[in-house]
Amino acid sequence: MSTLSTGTLVLFALAALIAFLVPFIREAAYKQLTWLPEWQAVKRFAAVLLPFLLLALLAQYFKIAAGDALRYLAAGALVPFFLARLSLPARLNGIILLAMTVALTCLVKDATAVPACFALICGAAVWKVSENLLIGAVSSVEDILPALIWLVGVNWVRTALPEAQWLSHDGILLATLSVVLIIRTVQNRFVCLDKLFVKRILLAVAGGAGVLLVMNKLLLLPLQNSLCPLAALIGAGILVSYLLEGLKSTEAPSGQSQLTSAVSILVLVGILTLVSTRLFGNFGLLAVAPTMLLGSAESFAHPAALFLVARGLLQGYTLTYVQNVTGVNLTHPYTTAALFAGFLLSGLAVATLRDISQRRWCVTIILAAGGLTPLLSNFFLHEEPTGSLLISTTTAAVMLAALGPALCRTNVSQQSNLLLLPLLMTAFALWSHELIELGNAGTGVDKIVILLYCATAVIVFSGLLYWLFSRLARQQVEVAGD
C-alpha cells in the first residue's frame, strides 16, 4: 500500500483535474467521446490475452504464487483496452490510468507487492503491444507511461529503501508527476516562438523549483544537500525533454542529418541516465522519468521514458535476485551467451517491426519473445544469465530505437514499440521469479520434460492463433466484399 500525505494527494488531484479538463474542454476532446465496441478488436485482443491468462491459471495449478495475481494481469490489460474504446486522446487516457493506479496503490495493500505489481505491468504491456501493432490505428505509449512510472517507482521504493523513507519518496515521485502534468497543460501556449529556448529554460527552472517547493512545504522535508540537487536533476530532465523535441526525426531532411540526430539523442539519454544513477541511484532514474512526458509522440522523449522505466525494473531484478554484491558478472559463460541473446532478440524485433507486413504475426513474435523468454531463462538458466539477457535487450533496444529513423526510415512513434520488448521481458522475469528457485532445484530430466511441454504448448497455440487470425481475416474480406 502506498503511503502518501494528504497534501500531496490534494496536489495530485488538482493537477490531474486541470490537466484533464483543460484539453477536454478547450480542445473539444469531449466531442470525440464515444463508445466504439469494435467487436473485431475485442476478438483480436481476446486471442492475444487468452494465452497469458492460461499461463497464470497454469501457475495457479502448480501452486506458484505468480498465478495468484491473475486478476491483476487481467485488470492491467482489460481496463486500458476498454478505456481506449472511448476514443479519447492518449494523453487524457494516461491521466485517467494514472489516477486509477494511484488510487489502487493507496487503497489495496498488495498492489505494490510482488507479484501483483508486475502482473499489472505485464497486462498493460501486453495490451499496449497489441493495441499499437494490431488493433489501434495510431501507435502511442503516452497512455500507459504515467501509470508505469508510478507503479515501478513505488515498487522500487519498497524494494530498496527502509519503511521510514517510503512516505517521502512516494511523495517526491507523485509531486514530480503533478508538476509535469501542470507544465504540460500550459507549455504549448507558453513556448511558441521560442527560437532561443529561453522560455523552455524558464519552464525547466520553474519545474525544478516547483518540485523543491512541494518537498519543503507539503512533504515537510528539510532542505538538505540532497534535495536541491534532486530538484535540479528534475529541472534538467525537463530541459532534456525539450532538447529531444528539437531533434525530431521528421525534421531531418536526409539520412546523414537523421544519423546526427540519432547520435545526439543517444548522447542526451546516456548523460541523463548516467547523472541520475550516479547522484541518486535508481530512484534518480524514476524521478526524472516523468519529465519525458513533456515531449510529443514525434520526439524520442516517450521512448526515453520507457527506457528509464525498463532500466528501473532491471535494477530491481538485479538487486533482489542476483546474489553478486556488484551485480551481474558478464564474464561468466552463461551470462556472456545471454548477453548475445539479448542483442539478437532486439535485432530480430527491429526486423520484425520493419519487414513483417502481417501485424498479427508481428504481435505474436513480440509477445512470445517478451513473455516466454524470461520465463525460460529463469527456469533453465538462473538469475545471473537472466539479468544479462535483460541488460543487453534494454541497451540494444534503446540504441536501435534511436537509430531506427536513420536505419529503417521509420518514425519514432513506431520505434517506441521496440522499447516495449525489454519492459515486457523484465516485468515477466520479476513476476515469475519463483522459477529461479524451481529451476535451481530441478534435475536435468525435469528440465527436458518441461522443455518438451513448452515446445508442445507453443506449437498448439501457434496453430490456434493461425486458425483464429485466418478466420478473422476471411470475415473482414467477406464484409468488405458485401
Side-chain angles (χ1 to χ4, degrees):
M1 182 180 294
S2 179
T3 53
L4 292 167
S5 65
T6 303
T8 309
L9 284 173
V10 171
L11 172 66
F12 169 70
L14 291 175
L17 195 62
I18 293 171
F20 183 86
L21 290 180
V22 170
F24 187 77
I25 297 174
R26 179 184 293 173
E27 300 174 10
Y30 61 88
K31 294 182 180 179
Q32 305 177 30
L33 187 63
T34 182
W35 172 248
L36 298 176
E38 298 178 352
W39 295 116
Q40 290 292 338
V42 173
K43 293 178 181 178
R44 288 184 174 186
F45 184 61
V48 171
L49 184 60
L50 180 61
F52 294 96
L53 297 179
L54 293 177
L55 191 65
L57 288 173
L58 188 64
Q60 283 187 351
Y61 176 79
F62 286 103
K63 301 186 185 306
I64 299 175
D68 298 334
L70 172 63
R71 62 186 183 278
Y72 290 101
L73 176 69
L78 293 174
V79 170
F81 171 77
F82 286 109
L83 184 62
R85 309 278 76 78
L86 296 177
S87 300
L88 283 174
R91 174 181 173 184
L92 299 185
N93 285 341
I95 298 172
I96 296 174
L97 288 175
L98 174 61
M100 295 173 67
T101 306
V102 172
L104 179 67
T105 54
C106 288
L107 299 176
V108 180
K109 184 176 181 180
D110 62 345
T112 58
V114 179
C117 177
F118 301 119
L120 278 172
I121 297 173
C122 289
V126 167
W127 164 75
K128 191 72 262 186
V129 171
S130 61
E131 184 74 25
N132 282 357
L133 300 179
L134 183 66
I135 302 172
V138 179
S139 182
S140 172
V141 294
E142 194 173 10
D143 40 13
I144 65 167
L145 268 178
L148 286 177
I149 293 169
W150 173 250
L151 276 175
V152 175
V154 295
N155 180 267
W156 169 257
V157 168
R158 276 139 195 79
T159 299
L161 301 178
E163 187 173 354
Q165 298 182 21
W166 290 2
L167 175 63
S168 60
H169 285 74
D170 285 352
I172 292 172
L173 184 60
L174 192 61
T176 305
L177 284 165
S178 302
V179 171
V180 167
L181 289 178
I182 294 174
I183 293 177
R184 190 175 65 173
T185 304
V186 303
Q187 68 177 359
N188 289 338
R189 292 179 177 271
F190 187 75
V191 301
C192 58
L193 301 177
D194 185 27
K195 296 182 179 180
L196 298 179
F197 256 65
V198 175
K199 295 179 180 179
R200 291 175 174 85
I201 293 175
L202 290 176
L203 278 179
V205 173
V211 174
L212 184 63
L213 183 65
V214 172
M215 288 190 291
N216 182 237
K217 298 301 181 181
L218 288 183
L219 299 178
L220 302 178
L221 298 176
L223 292 179
Q224 302 171 348
N225 295 332
S226 60
L227 291 184
C228 292
L230 180 59
L233 177 66
I234 292 170
I238 295 174
L239 185 59
V240 168
S241 70
Y242 290 139
L243 292 174
L244 293 174
E245 185 75 17
L247 294 171
K248 289 180 182 178
S249 61
T250 54
E251 297 176 0
S254 65
Q256 182 178 359
S257 52
Q258 283 184 333
L259 183 59
T260 302
S261 298
V263 173
S264 302
I265 286 170
L266 288 175
V267 169
L268 283 174
V269 175
I271 291 175
L272 185 65
T273 303
L274 177 62
V275 173
S276 301
T277 52
R278 186 67 183 88
L279 294 179
F280 300 99
N282 205 49
F283 184 76
L285 278 181
L286 299 172
V288 82
T291 62
M292 297 296 106
L293 296 173
L294 297 174
S296 64
E298 292 78 19
S299 73
F300 198 76
H302 295 168
L306 277 178
F307 165 71
L308 296 175
V309 171
R311 184 65 180 78
L313 280 175
L314 171 59
Q315 188 64 24
Y317 181 90
T318 304
L319 177 69
T320 307
Y321 303 113
V322 177
Q323 301 302 318
N324 293 336
V325 177
T326 55
V328 177
N329 188 346
L330 298 179
T331 61
H332 288 171
Y334 282 162
T335 56
T336 303
L339 197 67
F340 282 103
F343 284 109
L344 178 62
L345 278 177
S346 295
L348 291 177
V350 171
T352 299
L353 294 173
R354 183 192 62 187
D355 297 335
I356 296 182
S357 58
Q358 294 183 332
R359 296 288 91 183
R360 55 183 180 271
W361 294 118
C362 186
V363 171
T364 302
I365 293 171
I366 296 295
L367 289 181
L372 295 180
T373 304
L375 270 63
L376 296 176
S377 181
N378 274 343
F379 182 79
F380 288 102
L381 300 177
H382 53 85
E383 61 275 10
E384 199 167 18
T386 304
S388 175
L389 174 71
L390 299 176
I391 289 171
S392 57
T393 305
T394 305
T395 304
V398 70
M399 293 177 64
L400 293 174
L403 294 170
L407 298 178
C408 306
R409 298 295 188 267
T410 56
N411 56 46
V412 172
S413 62
Q414 289 294 330
Q415 290 301 311
S416 64
N417 294 313
L418 184 60
L419 270 303
L420 291 172
L421 177 62
L423 176 73
L424 193 66
M425 290 178 62
T426 312
F428 268 99
L430 285 160
W431 185 33
S432 62
H433 67 93
E434 286 178 284
L435 295 179
I436 299 173
E437 183 178 353
L438 293 175
N440 291 336
T443 64
V445 176
D446 295 333
K447 292 183 178 181
I448 292 175
V449 172
I450 295 296
L451 186 61
L452 291 175
Y453 281 137
C454 291
T456 303
V458 169
I459 293 172
V460 171
F461 277 119
S462 298
L464 290 175
L465 288 175
Y466 178 79
W467 173 79
L468 182 59
F469 285 142
S470 300
R471 183 180 179 186
L472 291 175
R474 288 195 299 270
Q475 289 178 354
Q476 285 183 336
V477 171
E478 292 175 359
V479 171
D482 293 340

